[in-house]
Amino acid sequence: MRAAVVGQGYVGLTGAVALAQQGHRVVGVEQDRERLACLRAGEPPVLEPGLIQQMTAVLRTGRLEFVEDLADAMVADPLDVVMICVGTPPAADGSANLSQVLTAIEESAELAGAPLVVLKSTVPPGTSDMLLAEYPELRQRFVCNPEFLNQGSALDDWQAPARIVAGAHHPEAVTVLRDLYRSVSCPWVTSTPATAEMIKYASNAFLATKISFANELARMCAAPDLNIDHVIQGVGLDPRIGHALLRPGMGHGASCLPKDTAALFHWAAGQGIPTPLLDATVRTDAQQPAAVLGLLRESVGGRLREREVAVLGVRHEPWSDDLRSAPSRVLLPLLQEQGAAVRVWDPGLTPDELSHLAPSATPHTALLTAVAGAHAILVLTEWPQAVEADWADLTARMREPRVVVDAKNCLPPALLHRLPVVYRGIGNRRPAPEPATTEPSANDPVATDPAAPQTVV
């Protein structure tokens, strides 16, 4: 099939590359000229493991090309499918900004040949029907097909998804979508467009709740005889719960969970529907940066003024360069407001980028210089260079009181507690006298690898 993918952000570019890998002829549409130039040069404007290699491979086959306007995609041959993957960023009131979706739908309605229109952008329930009321000619060839990608494994998630959701008013639209995904084997959920939209929001809201619940559990596991790692392991082994995203840390972090929970809250409020569970999820998440700051302040003696704090990592996760909702954006200003002298190390960002993110902080390109002379280390990103570092050497370079706050629970507590430092994780992470007696399943990536990608797009 010949498909145009409108919007070459994280979801759109992943989809364009994956569809081309599956044998379709794909045209990626990107109106940002700087980003378009990068795409045509074979340089992905987003970070995703394996994307640059797979993008290069499909570009060589000729099955993938990039254009500036959707009309340009029609020049060579007619289109069978138009897939809309544009952004729906949060407005000031928390609602989803649908301006890019509206433009893409309008342009799609004007195309000759009546291609299938696939809406993958995340939109509030009822959006598709609102659009179809304005463009009734699309009703028979429209399907809402939300994405469920994880940053760090997005290409694999596209090729082997847990499910495909198709919301349409006419079965013919679902038939064409099945043809587009003919090389993919997974369960299908077919519904109305509004139900498909709610499935996406409900999925992200539930995942956000798991993260907030894990952080609340960690607060309850501060007692000396409680081990948060073992609690999470034991709870997550229940197949009704699972380990995915059931991890204490810095909170939701990636942009989509905060954005989508806020949009769902705004939509429900507009319907007059109370959402006490969702409200609690959002409140718990909003409290996490302050909770980490309080843990750090308490550990260094009750005040941060004139304390040298080395922040290791500003990204929420090392496999994603999406900083829009990274907790560091809240935490770094809070540190500086309380008088801390902040140094920042993040191997994924240039010194200029670090300076832009935290203008008053001192950027460091080397891990050793970032921690030398620091009173405290605050780990915000599970960079392998930090997790696998020689912590005996790192902490020996510090000054008293020598505090390490592990805000991602990614460091080995048994090692840190043997060193002459104050080590604090999220929840009590003192090493237990005996290891947990239940072995995690080999098929559970979170149980076997605490740093496995889990960010939901």
Side-chain angles (χ1 to χ4, degrees):
M1 300 177 75
R2 191 163 187 271
V5 180
V6 182
Q8 292 298 289
Y10 190 87
V11 174
L13 182 56
T14 298
V17 170
L19 288 172
Q21 283 182 319
Q22 292 166 349
H24 301 294
R25 293 174 296 150
V26 182
V27 181
V29 181
E30 178 54 62
Q31 293 188 339
D32 185 307
R33 293 186 177 180
E34 183 177 348
R35 178 170 289 207
L36 179 62
C38 290
L39 291 166
R40 286 174 168 170
E43 301 170 359
V46 295
L47 177 66
E48 171 63 24
L51 181 59
I52 187 169
Q53 294 87 351
Q54 297 190 42
M55 176 179 167
T56 300
V58 293
L59 282 171
R60 287 173 179 165
T61 67
R63 291 198 300 270
L64 177 62
E65 61 177 312
F66 299 101
V67 299
E68 185 175 355
D69 297 304
L70 183 56
D72 297 337
M74 297 285 291
V75 172
D77 294 297
L79 292 169
D80 300 298
V81 176
V82 175
M83 183 173 286
I84 297 172
C85 302
V86 297
T88 54
D93 61 359
S95 63
N97 183 334
L98 302 177
S99 59
Q100 295 181 60
V101 171
L102 296 175
T103 299
I105 288 290
E106 180 182 5
E107 293 176 353
S108 300
E110 295 173 351
L111 295 176
L116 177 72
V117 176
V118 180
L119 179 61
K120 290 199 82 70
S121 301
T122 302
V123 297
T127 301
S128 293
D129 287 335
M130 176 195 72
L131 297 170
L132 294 177
E134 187 170 353
Y135 300 99
E137 65 272 24
L138 294 179
R139 190 174 179 85
Q140 288 190 314
R141 53 187 179 95
F142 176 91
V143 58
C144 177
N145 172 224
E147 52 79 22
F148 302 96
L149 305 180
N150 294 284
Q151 290 181 346
S153 61
L155 287 164
D156 290 339
D157 293 340
W158 190 289
Q159 302 284 9
R163 77 286 204 192
I164 291 175
V165 175
H169 290 298
H170 287 268
E172 294 87 348
V174 178
T175 299
V176 178
L177 189 69
R178 285 184 180 275
D179 194 21
L180 182 71
Y181 294 145
R182 61 181 177 269
S183 63
V184 174
S185 177
C186 71
W188 279 67
V189 178
T190 56
S191 67
T192 64
T195 300
E197 292 160 348
M198 179 56 88
I199 290 171
K200 169 64 177 181
Y201 272 108
S203 297
N204 276 4
F206 184 77
L207 294 174
T209 301
K210 288 186 73 174
I211 295 172
S212 290
F213 180 68
N215 280 325
E216 194 157 291
L217 275 179
R219 296 172 195 173
M220 292 187 277
C221 289
D225 58 342
L226 293 172
N227 185 298
I228 183 60
D229 296 330
H230 290 177
V231 170
I232 292 297
Q233 180 182 339
V235 171
L237 285 170
D238 187 325
R240 296 168 300 176
I241 300 172
H243 284 100
L245 273 76
L246 189 69
R247 283 180 60 201
M250 280 302 298
H252 299 162
S255 62
C256 284
L257 292 188
K259 173 179 75 73
D260 292 348
T261 51
L264 182 58
F265 171 81
H266 185 274
W267 175 85
Q271 305 295 314
I273 302 170
T275 55
L277 181 58
L278 184 60
D279 299 350
T281 292
V282 173
R283 282 199 310 273
T284 299
D285 183 68
Q287 294 165 359
Q288 199 62 15
V292 171
L293 183 69
L295 182 64
L296 175 63
R297 185 175 55 246
E298 172 197 334
S299 302
V300 297
R303 67 180 182 86
L304 287 166
R305 185 164 300 281
E306 298 179 352
R307 296 292 193 182
E308 295 275 348
V309 179
V311 176
L312 305 188
V314 296
R315 298 183 181 191
H316 180 57
E317 292 158 324
W319 46 82
S320 170
D321 58 354
D322 186 350
L323 288 167
R324 287 173 292 178
S325 297
S328 60
R329 299 181 72 95
V330 175
L331 198 51
L332 290 178
L334 289 176
L335 279 170
Q336 293 173 329
E337 286 174 11
Q338 297 203 11
V342 181
R343 308 113 169 261
V344 181
W345 169 85
D346 191 305
L349 297 178
T350 67
D352 286 345
E353 289 171 324
L354 289 173
S355 296
H356 180 71
L357 182 66
S360 300
T362 304
H364 285 265
T365 57
L367 178 59
L368 293 181
T369 60
V371 303
H375 298 102
I377 293 174
L378 176 58
V379 180
L380 294 185
T381 310
E382 54 270 47
W383 282 108
Q385 299 94 312
V387 175
E388 300 166 9
D390 181 347
W391 278 91
D393 179 48
L394 287 184
T395 54
R397 298 168 184 267
M398 299 174 68
R399 285 189 286 171
E400 294 292 340
R402 297 190 184 185
V403 170
V404 177
V405 172
D406 179 8
K408 297 300 287 287
N409 281 7
C410 58
L411 304 180
L415 168 63
L416 270 295
H417 281 293
R418 290 198 300 265
L419 300 175
V421 298
V422 177
Y423 170 72
R424 305 292 297 274
I426 306 302
N428 171 32
R429 295 199 81 222
R430 294 180 178 86
E434 298 293 335
T437 57
T438 303
E439 292 298 322
S441 167
N443 295 324
D444 189 337
V446 178
T448 56
D449 180 8
Q454 298 183 64
T455 300
V456 179
V457 178

